[in-house]
Amino acid sequence: MEKFQIKTVENAAEYAEASQLIAEAFTYGNRTSYLQAIQYEQRRPQQPGFRYQDHYVLCVDGRVVSNVYISSHKLRYGGVTLKMAGVGAVCTQVRYQGKGYNAALLRACMEAIGQRDVDLVMLNGIADYYHRFGFTPAIADYSIEISAKQAAALTSVYKTRLAQAEDLPQMQALYERYWLAQRPALFRTEAQWHWRWLDNPPSFGQIVVDANDTVRGYIGGRGATASITEVVADDVAAAQTILAEAGQRYLAEGASTIRWCMPPDDAFIDRARQLVD
């Protein structure tokens, strides 16, 4: 192992170098995705609560070769609110992988987290690796699968459009009703809602509104057919509208199955079962 330095990002120039590493690591050679990732990272310093020093990097010969990001959250778990640290953007340049740099950086980050006032630490990572740093599986991966052809045969009941600032309180109320009240979920402030849907909107995002322009649901994800998609419907008509448009969208992309990450007790599933298999 070459001589290395572990430090926190201190300025915009160091963050730009770390951002390039993150974009390269998680877009797997897809040029369009890479450019989108770079644009996101360029906007990220405007995110509520952003701090350069929450990015930890490992440098070899003054170059960033490994990165870890530690975020701060409040997690609602039943009637309890927990202080949570999230670990993300864990990556190392390909030419430096297998040399123990990532492990060294993660251990340093776990020591830093130990100095924070948090109740738990969570991450979404590959199996059979993070246990060596004290992590254990806590939440299962679930997904709902629906025939795109069946969904496309449905008729939209409501209208869909892009979210506007005046829609955010209604969207937040739906999130709190169907996420915070039903399962472990992260609190989102008004500023975070504004960031997620207006300042840095999802790659694909729409809200569902009725004849009175009342928000009845929304869908937002990392892409038009991405499995990482947040779907909320306040009634069956909203679910039907979301599915009808998703079916058309997926078929247009050559995908035969709609697949969204979603726990089996989600209210959307009960409504979808009334419409499709």
Side-chain angles (χ1 to χ4, degrees), residues 163-243:
Q164 301 171 5
E166 55 267 27
D167 302 316
L168 299 183
Q170 296 181 67
M171 297 170 66
Q172 184 173 357
L174 290 177
Y175 174 81
E176 291 176 356
R177 184 183 311 158
Y178 292 107
W179 282 60
L180 281 179
Q182 301 295 329
R183 66 175 70 96
L186 301 180
F187 281 96
R188 294 178 186 165
T189 64
E190 292 182 11
Q192 288 170 334
W193 276 96
H194 198 280
W195 161 261
R196 292 171 67 93
W197 281 87
L198 299 181
D199 297 334
N200 188 61
S203 297
F204 175 82
Q206 290 182 332
I207 63 170
V208 181
V209 295
D210 62 18
N212 297 317
D213 209 37
T214 300
V215 179
R216 308 299 300 179
Y218 65 85
I219 174 172
R222 297 182 178 176
T225 58
S227 61
I228 305 298
T229 297
E230 187 173 316
V231 186
V232 175
D234 201 27
D235 54 33
V236 174
Q240 182 169 327
T241 302
I242 290 172
L243 286 172

Side-chain angles (χ1 to χ4, degrees), residues 67-241:
N67 178 88
V68 173
Y69 173 60
I70 301 175
S71 54
S72 299
H73 308 275
K74 289 185 178 180
L75 175 72
R76 178 69 175 269
Y77 197 105
V80 179
T81 300
L82 302 173
K83 296 178 182 178
M84 188 193 102
V87 176
V90 181
C91 55
T92 300
Q93 286 187 19
V94 174
R95 60 172 292 196
Y96 290 97
Q97 292 177 1
K99 298 184 177 182
Y101 291 132
N102 192 243
L105 181 57
L106 270 171
R107 290 191 180 96
C109 288
M110 294 308 297
E111 290 182 8
I113 291 174
Q115 303 301 315
R116 299 190 179 192
D117 180 23
V118 297
D119 300 304
L120 77 163
V121 184
M122 298 190 75
L123 57 76
N124 181 22
I126 57 177
D128 300 325
Y129 178 71
Y130 289 100
H131 65 276
R132 69 186 69 180
F133 306 103
F135 289 93
T136 186
I139 301 175
D141 280 333
Y142 292 106
S143 63
I144 180 175
E145 296 185 352
I146 299 170
S147 164
K149 186 176 181 179
Q150 283 190 26
L154 299 172
T155 302
S156 296
V157 181
Y158 296 140
K159 295 181 179 180
T160 58
R161 60 172 173 79
L162 297 178
Q164 301 171 5
E166 55 267 27
D167 302 316
L168 299 183
Q170 296 181 67
M171 297 170 66
Q172 184 173 357
L174 290 177
Y175 174 81
E176 291 176 356
R177 184 183 311 158
Y178 292 107
W179 282 60
L180 281 179
Q182 301 295 329
R183 66 175 70 96
L186 301 180
F187 281 96
R188 294 178 186 165
T189 64
E190 292 182 11
Q192 288 170 334
W193 276 96
H194 198 280
W195 161 261
R196 292 171 67 93
W197 281 87
L198 299 181
D199 297 334
N200 188 61
S203 297
F204 175 82
Q206 290 182 332
I207 63 170
V208 181
V209 295
D210 62 18
N212 297 317
D213 209 37
T214 300
V215 179
R216 308 299 300 179
Y218 65 85
I219 174 172
R222 297 182 178 176
T225 58
S227 61
I228 305 298
T229 297
E230 187 173 316
V231 186
V232 175
D234 201 27
D235 54 33
V236 174
Q240 182 169 327
T241 302

Side-chain angles (χ1 to χ4, degrees), residues 1-6 58-61 65-66 92 95-107 129:
M1 182 184 296
E2 301 172 73
K3 187 176 180 180
F4 63 85
Q5 176 192 21
I6 292 176
L58 183 146
C59 301
V60 175
D61 295 328
V65 303
S66 190
T92 300
R95 60 172 292 196
Y96 290 97
Q97 292 177 1
K99 298 184 177 182
Y101 291 132
N102 192 243
L105 181 57
L106 270 171
R107 290 191 180 96
Y129 178 71

Side-chain angles (χ1 to χ4, degrees), residues 20-36:
Q20 185 173 349
L21 169 59
I22 295 169
E24 291 174 348
F26 294 104
T27 55
Y28 309 104
N30 184 300
R31 181 64 178 173
T32 300
S33 297
Y34 171 79
L35 292 175
Q36 290 175 341

